[in-house]
Amino acid sequence: MLGWKLLFHIGNFSRLEVWSRQPKADSSLDGRGEWGSVFARIYRHEKDMATQIVRREEEVATLIAAGQALTDGVVLLDENYQIIFCNTTAEMQLGLVIHSDRGQPIINLVRQPEFVDYLQAGDFSRPLTMRFERNEDRVLSIHVLPYSDSRRLMQVKDVTQTDRLDRMRRDFVANVSHELRTPLTVLSGFLETLQEFEVDRDERSRYLALMSEQSSRMLSIVQDLLTLSSIESAPPPDTEPVDMISLLDKLRRDAEALSAGRHSIVVESDGQGDLRGSEPELVSAFTNLVANAVRYTPAGGTIRLSWKAGLQGAEFAVQDTGIGIDSKHIPRLTERFYRVDRGRSRDAGGTGLGLAIVKHSLSRHQAQLEIKSTPGVGSRFAAKFPASRVAGIQ
Ligand code: ADP
């Protein structure tokens, strides 16, 4: 009897021993008598553990998925700045590959000196902003946050766009100040001369003429700036049709007035179709193109205004036989205050803002500005409108 009992225990024990080498929460652990309830408890415990592990794995997977969904880069580092985890955004931003780079010190992989210095200095009260050496077009802002004692979470933001806007704003303020300072310096110089010295009548009227020229120049700059800012802050333009026949007529009269008989002005249009949009913005854009054609075409030249509308869209163009533009300048012409020849633009009454106004008004009408030019031969500026902006075409 005792022998049988002993055999029974040894048998169950050896099954437990075998099972424990590769424990599985399944019915492979089966026993009878008091061993049955022991095995059942072990089995339940194993099953709970397995469920908990699955749940934990799911939680970790959800956390990783959340980390992957972040638009900012995230890198988790241990106390030696070795990579524990990084999301796909950080992989792209910093050129990391998590599968092979896990466990590597990040400064062995991102070796840019300011980054290495920033990590080694260990003062993370401020983020590090750096232009990334491996991709010069990108500007990254790196923030390191300590967590869980000695670990660090590194957050990487791509601030390229904000940096560009900041730079544009700074350049713009510098440009405006520079543009206004020049005429103001001339004005105040003449004022001082008139106040301090006796000048004869002729001299005085010459000074006054120059002063009036400078103040008109400042006025033009301020007017163009106001036009730009009102276009920028205006609601999207109307879709009411603007009568192109009377608009072309007005542009022709403006061109003739500006040219004062120095050029021949030609209008080419079959009178078909109108534009849907804001009349003041279209007038402002087209007048700037016409004024430039007059400004940069020597006397005796021809300025051709053309309008063509069809089912596919419409085109308003101004073609001149003027000085033309070297192709290297063309991509930059619509930048604020960009001029090919500053002196020539100034002498001709330009502000350097005309084409910026044109581009802005056109883009609000979903139109493109196409510039073709040959130095010494002439230029063609064409505003191309999509079909949605054209009215009155069957
Ligand atoms: P500006 O007030 O100086 O004319 P714009 O923004 O209207 O400024 O034009 C920018 C520059 O583009 C001008 O300074 C000039 O160098 C060049 N440009 C514009 N239109 C013409 C044209 N029709 N022919 C030659 N150059 C032109």
Side-chain angles (χ1 to χ4, degrees):
M1 188 64 190
L2 196 66
W4 183 86
K5 195 101 185 161
L6 196 60
L7 274 178
F8 169 74
H9 286 311
I10 291 172
N12 276 303
F13 181 77
S14 72
R15 280 172 55 207
L16 177 61
E17 199 275 329
V18 170
W19 176 86
S20 71
R21 289 192 205 156
Q22 261 185 326
K24 261 198 230 142
D26 59 15
S27 51
S28 60
L29 196 60
D30 190 17
R32 254 159 265 128
E34 51 269 60
W35 281 96
S37 50
V38 170
F39 286 173
R41 277 199 297 278
I42 293 176
Y43 171 67
R44 217 172 310 122
H45 178 72
E46 273 302 310
K47 208 171 157 202
D48 285 354
M49 288 291 285
T51 316
Q52 269 186 37
I53 289 171
V54 169
R55 201 174 306 142
R56 289 278 179 279
E57 279 173 353
E58 278 170 7
E59 281 170 9
V60 170
T62 310
L63 281 176
I64 290 178
Q68 297 295 18
L70 288 173
T71 47
D72 285 347
V74 172
V75 186
L76 301 184
L77 301 168
D78 68 12
E79 63 276 22
N80 300 317
Y81 297 121
Q82 288 168 343
I83 299 173
I84 301 170
F85 164 81
C86 78
N87 66 357
T88 326
T89 315
E91 283 186 306
M92 287 189 308
Q93 287 169 326
L94 300 171
L96 303 173
V97 181
I98 187 61
H99 291 303
S100 49
D101 294 341
R102 185 174 281 126
Q104 299 276 337
I106 192 162
I107 51 175
N108 288 358
L109 303 164
V110 180
R111 291 162 175 263
Q112 199 161 327
E114 61 257 63
F115 176 75
V116 175
D117 291 349
Y118 178 70
L119 283 195
Q120 284 176 344
D123 174 8
F124 303 125
S125 53
R126 279 199 214 158
L128 164 74
T129 304
M130 64 175 194
R131 189 165 285 279
F132 194 42
E133 264 172 13
R134 277 193 240 158
N135 183 355
E136 284 279 320
D137 291 344
R138 310 314 301 168
V139 181
L140 302 177
S141 169
I142 293 172
H143 214 136
V144 176
L145 308 157
Y147 79 101
S148 169
D149 294 338
S150 49
R151 294 188 168 190
R152 315 249 189 254
L153 183 149
M154 198 171 95
Q155 185 188 16
V156 187
K157 274 183 189 296
D158 188 327
V159 292
T160 312
Q161 185 70 351
T162 333
D163 184 73
R164 201 174 63 89
L165 289 176
D166 259 12
R167 201 145 15 99
M168 273 171 65
R169 189 183 47 77
R170 278 198 303 271
D171 287 354
F172 181 65
V173 172
N175 277 330
V176 172
S177 318
H178 177 79
E179 294 291 331
L180 292 177
R181 200 182 52 193
T182 315
L184 267 176
T185 312
V186 177
L187 260 181
S188 67
F190 281 133
L191 277 173
E192 238 176 74
T193 312
L194 288 174
Q195 277 170 337
E196 288 180 15
F197 301 100
E198 279 295 317
V199 287
D200 64 32
R201 240 178 106 87
D202 286 353
E203 195 79 334
R204 186 186 163 83
S205 46
R206 198 173 69 81
Y207 284 178
L208 287 176
L210 288 168
M211 285 164 70
S212 138
E213 198 180 288
Q214 294 303 325
S215 62
S216 322
R217 188 167 141 62
M218 285 196 289
L219 200 61
S220 309
I221 295 173
V222 172
Q223 262 161 359
D224 277 356
L225 285 172
L226 287 174
T227 308
L228 255 181
S229 110
S230 74
I231 295 176
E232 272 171 351
S233 52
D238 272 356
T239 48
E240 285 300 301
V242 175
D243 179 1
M244 280 308 288
I245 295 184
S246 60
L247 178 51
L248 286 170
D249 198 45
K250 176 187 156 25
L251 292 171
R252 183 185 46 76
R253 279 183 277 117
D254 285 354
E256 282 166 358
L258 285 169
S259 159
R262 289 173 298 132
H263 310 92
S264 63
I265 314 290
V266 182
V267 177
E268 287 171 351
S269 159
D270 58 9
Q272 292 284 308
D274 290 321
L275 268 179
R276 294 182 183 281
S278 148
E279 181 157 5
E281 284 182 35
L282 293 171
V283 168
S284 163
F286 297 165
T287 310
N288 269 304
L289 294 180
V290 170
N292 278 348
V294 174
R295 200 173 281 151
Y296 301 108
T297 302
T302 302
I303 291 158
R304 210 172 284 277
L305 317 186
S306 67
W307 165 250
K308 210 165 20 166
L311 289 172
Q312 309 301 318
E315 181 194 90
F316 169 79
V318 181
Q319 184 160 5
D320 63 49
T321 55
I323 58 172
I325 307 155
D326 195 292
S327 59
K328 70 170 188 263
H329 297 289
I330 292 183
R332 299 197 59 192
L333 289 184
T334 55
E335 284 175 24
R336 293 165 189 204
F337 296 116
Y338 187 85
R339 287 110 150 182
V340 174
D341 179 340
R342 187 169 283 269
R344 186 167 201 150
S345 153
R346 197 177 38 231
D347 295 347
T351 60
L353 293 168
L355 290 179
I357 294 175
V358 173
K359 186 180 171 194
H360 216 80
S361 315
L362 293 185
S363 78
R364 281 167 50 81
H365 290 80
Q366 298 75 46
Q368 304 281 335
L369 178 65
E370 184 189 270
I371 307 173
K372 289 187 176 150
S373 188
T374 311
V377 175
S379 312
R380 185 173 193 275
F381 287 75
K384 292 177 173 288
F385 293 85
S388 57
R389 285 283 172 192
V390 184
I393 295 280
Q394 273 90 40

